[in-house]
Amino acid sequence: MTSVPISVPGGPERCLVMGVVNVTPDSFSDGGMWFDPAAAIQHGLELVREGADIVDVGGESTRPGSARVSLEEELARVVPVIRALRAEGVTVSVDTMRAEVAAAAVEAGAQIVNDVSGGLADPEMPRVVAATGVTYVVMHWRGHSHDMYSRAVYADVVTEVREELSKRVDLVLAEGVTHEQIVLDPGLGFAKNAEHNWAVLAGIPKLTELGYPLLVGASRKRFLGRLLADPDGTPRPFSRSDDATLAVTALAAHAGAWCVRVHEVGPNADAVRVAAAWKRAGAGT
Ligand code: PMM
């Protein structure tokens, strides 16, 4: 098993696009839309046609306040979708905090394990990832969604996220994961309020100094709706925050993100190309 290529093969250096397929009834922006396996598979294939480099399949919602699903339910949601997408040649990532789900997903063809807990939720996860050799997305996380906002306390969010990610890296390396397998993610919205999220985005160059590719997941998150709130303070609904997501994608890609995780792939695939052209011109190439 080899890791997913970190840069675009044969093409100009650009940020990758990960399209989201939430096989859940309750995810924040698309809960219930792709809950049926056949609909999820079709949606994944559509995302690839729109320009996704990777399709991220998740069976457990991490929306603020959400309860956990059982292992059996999570397996039943993701494995058939992953197997079908892989059979169509899609590069698949599994969004899970459970080692058993990660192992079954890799067996079904997933080439990336996207663990929003960075190995904290299931201590077996780093060993399973090490044994399979697949790419491992280690996200910054301070606890499960039901009470994560109580942990959104920082003196200097960029420094603390960087230090906490660095500790996770040391731990997963000690469990046998290799440097080449690791991708880091600052975990926008996970134990972070809007102010923290903006600081983390502005801190992308500092986070990339850790020496690992950086994944950024801003798509349709609440802090965008809050920024675009009506004059009376009503947040913009997620269904009208895709343009703001696009702006974050362009800026994050320009700032050095390796990949953006998004719900609406087509325009974001355009945005990463704009950022790449801008960077190339700036580098005089
Ligand atoms: N966000 C969500 C789920 N999975 N994975 C990574 N690596 N990074 C993220 O920011 C992230 C994630 C929650 O968003 P959704 O419910 O809209 O999918």
Side-chain angles (χ1 to χ4, degrees):
M1 180 64 66
T2 52
S3 293
V4 72
I6 294 300
S7 57
V8 184
E13 199 65 32
R14 69 159 168 82
C15 178
L16 300 181
V17 177
M18 174 186 274
V20 180
V21 178
N22 284 320
V23 194
T24 59
D26 59 341
S27 285
F28 182 57
S29 77
D30 58 353
M33 288 179 77
W34 323 114
F35 193 39
D36 169 56
I41 293 159
Q42 282 315 311
H43 184 55
L45 295 174
E46 178 60 25
L47 295 182
V48 172
R49 282 192 289 274
E50 288 175 9
D53 301 290
I54 302 161
V55 173
D56 189 39
V57 179
E60 177 171 45
S61 170
T62 50
R63 68 181 289 170
S66 64
R68 302 212 62 190
V69 293
S70 70
L71 168 66
E72 294 70 28
E73 176 66 21
E74 194 184 346
L75 283 168
R77 289 179 185 180
V78 299
V79 169
V81 177
I82 292 169
R83 187 168 286 121
L85 289 175
R86 190 63 206 131
E88 297 289 335
V90 177
T91 300
V92 182
S93 146
V94 62
D95 188 342
T96 186
M97 291 183 262
R98 288 190 169 112
E100 279 174 277
V101 176
V106 172
E107 180 73 31
Q111 293 124 301
I112 302 171
V113 172
N114 173 23
D115 176 4
V116 298
S117 81
L120 279 166
D122 185 341
E124 289 299 315
M125 184 68 102
R127 276 193 288 281
V128 165
V129 174
T132 60
V134 298
T135 296
Y136 187 25
V137 179
V138 176
M139 201 188 82
H140 179 261
W141 189 82
R142 284 183 166 184
H144 285 288
S145 299
H146 62 90
D147 66 347
M148 65 180 168
Y149 287 129
S150 66
R151 299 186 175 92
V153 182
Y154 303 86
D156 174 346
V157 66
V158 177
T159 303
E160 286 168 56
V161 166
R162 190 179 144 139
E163 282 173 7
E164 287 168 35
L165 280 174
S166 184
K167 283 196 189 125
R168 295 314 302 159
V169 166
D170 290 346
L171 186 131
V172 305
L173 290 172
E175 297 283 2
V177 174
T178 64
H179 288 288
E180 293 70 29
Q181 283 177 269
I182 297 174
V183 168
L184 298 180
D185 184 328
L188 295 173
F190 288 83
K192 288 168 204 80
N193 63 29
E195 193 189 328
H196 299 138
N197 292 333
W198 290 116
V200 160
L201 285 167
I204 286 176
K206 285 206 181 106
L207 296 171
T208 57
E209 283 170 12
L210 287 172
Y212 295 97
L214 200 73
L215 175 62
V216 173
S219 186
R220 295 182 176 172
K221 285 192 176 161
R222 283 172 201 224
F223 74 109
L224 300 177
R226 296 237 166 86
L227 175 77
L228 306 172
D230 287 345
D232 71 0
T234 310
R236 177 86 66 86
F238 68 81
S239 55
R240 291 195 295 118
S241 66
D242 280 327
D243 292 344
T245 299
L246 210 53
V248 173
T249 289
L251 290 164
H254 193 263
W258 164 76
C259 183
V260 287
R261 180 182 180 279
V262 294
H263 299 84
E264 201 196 34
V265 164
N268 283 284
D270 292 350
V272 298
R273 284 172 174 80
V274 168
W278 190 301
K279 270 186 118 163
R280 276 198 307 281
T285 55

